Amino acid sequence: AGGVGLPLIQLRDVTVRHAGRAVLDRVSWTVRAGERWAVLGPNGSGKTTLLSLLCGDHPQAYSNDVRLFGRRRGSGETIWDVKRNVGLLSPEFHLYFTEPLSAARAAATGFFDGVTDQPTTPAQDARVRELLAAFGVAHLWGRAFSALSTGEQRLVLLARALVKRPPLVILDEPFQGLDAD
């Protein structure tokens, strides 16, 4: 994909080993603002490892040349500095929601990069409402997140990933648990 935007992600000759096996072997990759990428491959091919390097969840991110928003990982940024600019949806994310929240409040946690309820502004509430409507689940606003179907939870969490309008959105297996529509 050939974009003209600034680099959001830069990997330079990245190698990740697990139990002596190279999961990623000398991977170089640049993602620029405005580009859309799909990373495809069979189970065990390193897709989740690649995403965890970007999201700051993988310890080998710091021993490799991994740059987000022009800044090398391990150069003093905190995990919160990274999360502030990234919207993330992953298959197991719903498991972290142990506090009883409504669908709207679960989506609103995306403003704070956590999974606990925090007060939101009317503008933030309007953004949640806009996204839930866009995904056809506005009717779930007050329903308990834990009582939603897997597909409904995934759509609420997709809204959560987008609420803060992050410059980088990472969708790990975004269609898992959703029906064809």
Side-chain angles (χ1 to χ4, degrees):
V4 295
L6 295 173
L8 300 179
I9 297 170
Q10 292 173 290
L11 305 179
R12 295 180 183 156
D13 209 29
V14 169
T15 298
V16 173
R17 296 191 176 283
H18 198 52
R21 178 179 158 264
V23 178
L24 299 175
D25 190 14
R26 297 182 314 258
V27 173
S28 293
W29 181 35
T30 299
V31 174
R32 297 180 179 282
E35 293 181 345
R36 288 161 178 78
W37 287 79
V39 178
L40 307 172
N43 289 341
S45 63
K47 300 181 304 292
T48 299
T49 299
L50 181 65
L51 295 180
S52 69
L53 283 171
L54 302 178
C55 296
D57 301 329
H58 199 287
Q60 292 184 45
Y62 306 101
S63 59
N64 278 287
D65 191 346
V66 176
R67 297 169 191 265
L68 288 178
F69 312 105
R71 196 164 171 194
R72 184 168 177 160
R73 298 303 318 275
S75 64
E77 83 285 357
T78 68
I79 189 70
W80 302 110
D81 293 330
V82 173
K83 289 181 184 290
R84 184 177 306 118
N85 291 305
V86 177
L88 174 66
L89 174 66
S90 66
E92 67 285 337
F93 201 66
H94 67 279
L95 299 174
Y96 299 117
F97 285 85
T98 56
E99 187 178 324
L101 298 176
S102 68
R105 300 314 304 160
T109 64
F111 289 112
F112 311 104
D113 303 312
V115 294
T116 58
D117 200 9
Q118 295 188 42
T120 48
T121 67
Q124 288 171 325
D125 293 340
R127 175 68 175 157
V128 170
R129 194 173 301 281
E130 168 193 345
L131 287 168
L132 292 181
F135 296 126
V137 292
H139 63 284
L140 301 177
W141 180 270
R143 291 215 9 229
F145 180 78
S146 61
L148 303 179
S149 72
T150 301
E152 290 168 335
Q153 286 182 347
R154 296 284 291 174
L155 290 170
V156 168
L157 293 177
L158 178 57
R160 181 193 180 278
L162 300 173
V163 291
K164 62 186 174 182
R165 293 181 170 88
L168 177 62
V169 178
I170 297 175
L171 307 174
D172 185 4
E173 300 192 28
F175 302 115
Q176 182 177 321
L178 297 179
D179 60 27
D181 290 343

